């Protein structure tokens, strides 16, 4: 179903939703935007073609989350989280795509993560397409796009005074109940905007044979070169919408076992009790980060595990750029032998 | 406030010369005082103090030997330099300076530790319950830490 | 959800049935755990396969991945042998009979027992990594399963005789004649009747036949590194050489990310890999 | 601005004469706002070397990551020179193995301030002594340099390298050393409640990525206290207790060691203010012990030099 949503009507709509849902949308926090629950007054819809600083994965996989509680006599209890039905509004298609990618890890057939599952089931995602290209993004390069519709309940296209709302699920349809249906011409107009946005995104690097090149050059000195100035902090992974690694830690004083975000760029990430570390330096860790996104995800679910949001590019403290790393990878030697 | 303020007492094991005082500290401390004995005040990492504060202590008292009487020559002065600065620093980020107290105990003194604790407790009572920096969730009443 | 409504992350309550030191230097301790609830026991044994591992949990300390060292027929308990290295294992070493402990498992794929039916087994172990192989040997050696497999050869090396695990069973196995046993220690000792030398050398000396045979290797990385070429030299094909890997693990469910070997997770898709599989994966160990 | 060609020539000379194995400096990044730290190992590499006020990092942080005995050349600004000195005092690197190409620093431009001023998609940045010309998607902007300086650079009182082997460019005037003190005093004028509110607001935005730690030249411990498992010093997650403890102890470990370069703050992905913590400690070190970090490569920091004379200070 396609609806028309006047921009003036948006604040009221968001407030109406609040009756039944927790409404999360990007709001100004200090000097950047952050997904926060909407309060009774004051609506800020961030209309710049800009991602929030922290990706919305944090709404499904919080930075710190209790998994298990310890009972008094050395026993264990499931942790319970009160999760209300929610609408996540104005998340960008790249981030929505990332959530879908994370589903493949958290919702495996045999081992489905209960906390992730509950949050996913209770969430309606309403994305806002990017009609203007953002600064460091490269979503079309990795096969997604500014109006990528994977795993969304609804998608908004900015058409000046109003949005075209495309809904893809019944839950989303009920959210937009009562709005005027969009005419054919408006849909065509929206398609043009979407196509133009898609075409405006620059191609940052070639993805053809990239997987094979990275795979076959596992022990190349290419990795030394690209990781040389890496500091080994967790900015790129913590701000990445598809990075999901976590650490499980016992908080003794709180008598809880919690999971915290963790990063493959940390030394302690793979350090074993014996003192052996399979990834002892930043070279191996950088290789793991890039290979995971551009090789292993492809092996696992046949999708690139990077949605091109550009956060790691923008916030790397030393200006390391995944786009230029992969462009350099394109000149690596490789054999086509088993690329069938 | 009604209940007594909680005090974390860090005590250098050499600073109480009198066996009676040491016995009082070891065995007869009131329940609102939580004792940590250290080999020297120089052993006290500012992290210990921070841990006590975050865990909900209303005040932290550190008792050490007089200068020149340290068992390890300069341990107490090292500690004093660091903890004085640490206290100033905590004050900078919004923690009442009076809640951390460093006392020198003369080896000849008798009952000084009781007097100092009483005075400290009195001052803490005026300050009220600590709120700033108390961020660690407490374990429910009656449960022991694992 | 697992038995008794526990989430994937909540350990099953267990208690220690027996706890004893396995080696003379007290660095290895064996824990036999029994289940607090029969539903958990049923769920465990319905899923269990030799070669799998569990995460033992001490509240306040954390979890540690340990290979299961008991066969299902042995009874309603699970055996683990832990080396005292980290904070969790040192806490495990403090446990005595009756103490409570948590367990998540069985996890991982285990040995592909179905594919090995009718084949000769060459089981090669080194040091404390022998635990899952012990489960395998126990399983195969039992009268109910013995006829499913061919000849059984066991090669086990340790640094000293005191570090040799499961001494009683070895003594009994030396007596039986349906199993060929080669035990080795690294340096000569008085009264030692078996081989002296490193495991790869013992393998070359013993030279087990690769005909219709499967070799299972489990040991410290350095031993595995030299044993695999020795087996290849003897004529074992990569498809018939198996090994069990280990990396730091947290969740055990293929979610926390840290134990990946290429696109596979050792906790979920491993820990047992064939050499053919390993050859296709990056050397990220 | 120092002449880039002179810097390049000097770097080339060092490498070609074999005086150093590697020269640490910056090269142009993928975007004009982010020059990258780079390791130049051959004279030909040096052609890529750039020097601009957008170089955000303190290069001294890489010194402890290189082999201890390696001979290193570095292009240093005032703060980087002081960090190098502090590392030499702590015996992390021998001064004999270092060759410092000094450059008087006019202050680092904060890329976040530039983006806030001119908007997205910055295409080029050209700077002169007083002004900065920025081209972005929405056009050209001529901005006064002062408006774009990073906060810690506005308070900087030692813009010149103090112990460089060669100084390229004219030394700048030492600026007013009261600016840092005024900033500390201004903050301390707030009430305890307000100060704590500010600290909470800043600290609790932390995501514990440890970019501040890695960007800091003085944070070179092999094992940081937050990575410690037995005992675990703080809560490890993004909880108030853990985040506050991290910020308090990280800063406090810098007492008498921080050179106020502000690299921690520039590295932070969450725009957390951190220098107000270290400024206070630096201010105290100066007031109490008349010590400023890194002014020479001999004087030990106050916490490493305890004497019995101290007793007079503390007697109540």
């Amino acid at each position: 179903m396609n609806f028309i949503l006047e921009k003036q009507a948006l604040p009221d709509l968001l407030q109406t939703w609040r009756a039944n849902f927790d409404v999360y949308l990007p709001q100004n926090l200090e000097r950047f935007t952050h997904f926060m629950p909407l309060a009774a007054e004051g609506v800020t819809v961030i209309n710049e073609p800009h991602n929030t600083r922290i990706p919305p994965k944090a709404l499904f996989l919080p930075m710190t989350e209790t998994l298990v509680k310890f009972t008094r006599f050395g026993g264990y209890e499931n942790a319970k989280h009160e999760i209300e039905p929610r609408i996540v509004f104005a998340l960008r298609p790249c981030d929505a795509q990332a959530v879908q990618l994370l589903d493949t890890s958290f919702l495996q057939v045999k081992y489905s993560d209960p906390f992730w599952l509950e949050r996913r089931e209770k969430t309606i995602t309403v994305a806002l397409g990017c009609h203007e290209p953002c600064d460091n993004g490269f979503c079309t390069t990795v096969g997604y796009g500014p109006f990528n519709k994977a795993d969304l309940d609804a998608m908004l296209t900015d058409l000046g005074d109003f949005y075209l709302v495309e809904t893809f699920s019944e839950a989303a349809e009920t959210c937009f109940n009562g709005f005027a249906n969009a005419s054919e011409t408006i849909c065509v107009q929206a398609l043009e905007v979407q196509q133009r946005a898609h075409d405006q995104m620059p191609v940052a690097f070639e993805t053809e044979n990239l997987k094979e090149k990275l795979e076959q050059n596992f022990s190349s000195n290419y990795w030394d070169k690209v990781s040389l100035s890496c500091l080994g902090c967790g900015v790129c992974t913590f701000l990445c919408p598809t990075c999901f690694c976590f650490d499980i830690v016992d908080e003794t004083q709180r008598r809880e076992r919690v999971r915290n975000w963790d990063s493959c760029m940390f030394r302690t990430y793979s350090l074993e009790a014996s003192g052996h570390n399979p990834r002892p330096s930043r070279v191996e860790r950088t290789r793991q980060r890039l290979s995971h996104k551009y090789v292993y995800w492809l092996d696992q679910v046949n999708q690139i595990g990077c949605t091109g949001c550009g956060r790691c590019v923008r916030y790397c403290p030393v200006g390391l750029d995944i786009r230029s790393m992969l462009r350099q990878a394109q000149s690596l030697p490789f054999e086509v032998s088993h690329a069938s | 406030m009604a209940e007594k303020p909680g005090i974390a007492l860090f005590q250098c094991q050499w600073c109480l010369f009198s066996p009676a005082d040491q016995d009082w500290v070891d065995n007869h401390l009131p329940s609102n005082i939580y004792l940590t004995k250290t080999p020297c005040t120089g052993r006290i990492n500012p992290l210990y103090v921070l841990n006590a504060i975050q865990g909900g202590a209303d005040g932290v008292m550190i008792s050490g030997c007089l200068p020149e009487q340290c068992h390890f020559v300069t341990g107490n002065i090292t500690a004093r330099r660091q903890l004085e600065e640490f206290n100033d620093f905590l004050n900078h980020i919004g923690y009442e300076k009076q809640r951390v107290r460093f006392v020198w105990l003369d080896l000849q003194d008798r009952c000084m530790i009781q007097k100092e604790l009483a005075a400290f407790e009195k001052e803490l009572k005026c300050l009220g319950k600590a709120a700033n920096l108390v961020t660690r969730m407490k374990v429910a009443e009656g449960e022991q830490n694992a | 959800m697992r038995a008794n409504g526990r989430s994937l992350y909540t350990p099953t309550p267990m208690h220690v049935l027996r706890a004893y030191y396995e080696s003379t230097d007290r660095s290895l301790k064996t824990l036999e755990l029994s289940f607090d609830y029969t539903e958990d026991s049923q769920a465990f044994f319905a899923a269990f396969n030799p070669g799998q591992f569990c995460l033992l949990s001490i509240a306040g300390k954390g979890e540690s991945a340990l290979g299961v060292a008991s066969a299902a027929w042995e009874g309603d308990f699970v055996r683990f042998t832990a080396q005292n290295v980290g904070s969790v294992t040192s806490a495990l070493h403090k446990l005595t009979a009756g103490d409570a402990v948590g367990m998540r498992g069985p996890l991982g794929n285990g040995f592909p027992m179905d594919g090995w039916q009718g084949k000769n087994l060459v089981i090669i172990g080194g040091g404390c990594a022998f635990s899952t192989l012990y489960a395998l040997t126990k399983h195969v050696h039992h009268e109910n399963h013995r006829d499913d497999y061919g000849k059984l050869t066991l090669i086990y090396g340790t640094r000293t005789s005191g570090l040799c695990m499961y001494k009683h069973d070895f003594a009994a196995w030396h007596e039986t004649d349906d199993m060929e046993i080669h035990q080795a220690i690294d340096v000569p000792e008085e009264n030692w009747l078996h081989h002296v030398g490193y495991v790869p050398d013992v393998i070359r000396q013993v030279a087990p036949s690769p005909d219709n045979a499967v070799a299972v290797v489990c040991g410290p990385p350095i031993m595995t590194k030299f044993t695999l070429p020795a087996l290849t030299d003897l004529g074992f094909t990569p498809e018939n050489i198996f090994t069990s890997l280990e990396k730091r693990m947290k969740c055990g469910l293929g979610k926390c990310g840290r134990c990946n070997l290429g696109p596979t997770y050792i906790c979920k898709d491993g820990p047992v890999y064939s050499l053919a599989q390993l050859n296709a994966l990056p050397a990220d160990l | 601005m120092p002449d880039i060609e002179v810097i390049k020539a000097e770097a080339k000379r060092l490498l070609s004469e074999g005086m150093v194995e590697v020269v640490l400096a910056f090269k142009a990044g993928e975007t004009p706002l982010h020059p990258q730290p780079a390791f130049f190992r051959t004279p030909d590499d040096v052609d890529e070397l750039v020097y601009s006020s957008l170089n955000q990092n303190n290069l001294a942080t890489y010194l402890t990551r290189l082999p201890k005995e390696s001979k290193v050349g570095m292009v240093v600004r005032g703060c980087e020179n002081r960090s190098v000195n502090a590392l030499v005092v702590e015996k992390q690197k021998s001064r004999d193995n270092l060759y410092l190409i000094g450059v008087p620093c006019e202050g680092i431009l904060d890329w976040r301030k530039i983006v806030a001023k001119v908007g997205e998609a910055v295409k080029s940045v050209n700077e002169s002594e007083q002004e900065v010309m920025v081209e972005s998607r929405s056009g050209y902007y001529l901005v006064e340099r002062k408006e774009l300086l990073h906060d810690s650079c506005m308070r900087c009182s030692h813009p010149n390298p103090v112990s460089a082997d060669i100084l390229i460019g004219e030394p700048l005037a030492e600026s007013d050393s009261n600016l840092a003190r005024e900033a500390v005093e201004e903050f301390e004028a707030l009430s305890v409640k307000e100060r704590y509110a500010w600290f909470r607001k800043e600290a609790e935005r932390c995501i514990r990525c440890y970019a501040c730690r890695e960007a800091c030249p003085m944070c070179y411990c092999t094992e940081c206290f937050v990575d410690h498992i037995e005992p675990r010093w703080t809560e490890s997650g993004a909880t108030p207790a853990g985040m506050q403890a991290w910020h308090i102890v990280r800063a406090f470990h810098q007492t008498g060691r921080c050179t106020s370069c502000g690299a921690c703050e520039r590295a932070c992905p969450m725009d957390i203010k951190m220098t107000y913590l270290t400024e206070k400690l630096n201010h105290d070190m100066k007031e109490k012990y008349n010590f400023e970090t890194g002014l020479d490569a001999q004087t030990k920091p106050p916490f490493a030099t305890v004497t019995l004379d101290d007793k007079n200070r503390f007697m109540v």
Side-chain angles (χ1 to χ4, degrees), chain C residues 127-139:
Chain C
C128 62
F130 186 69
S131 55
T132 50
L133 295 180
Y134 178 66
L136 175 68
T137 315
K138 279 252 178 190
H139 174 82

Side-chain angles (χ1 to χ4, degrees), chain C residues 184-202:
Chain C
I185 53 173
D186 289 356
V187 283
E189 278 177 34
E190 269 182 59
N191 300 329
W192 179 254
L193 304 170
H194 312 288
H195 298 269
V196 175
Y198 297 115
V199 169
D201 302 329
V202 176

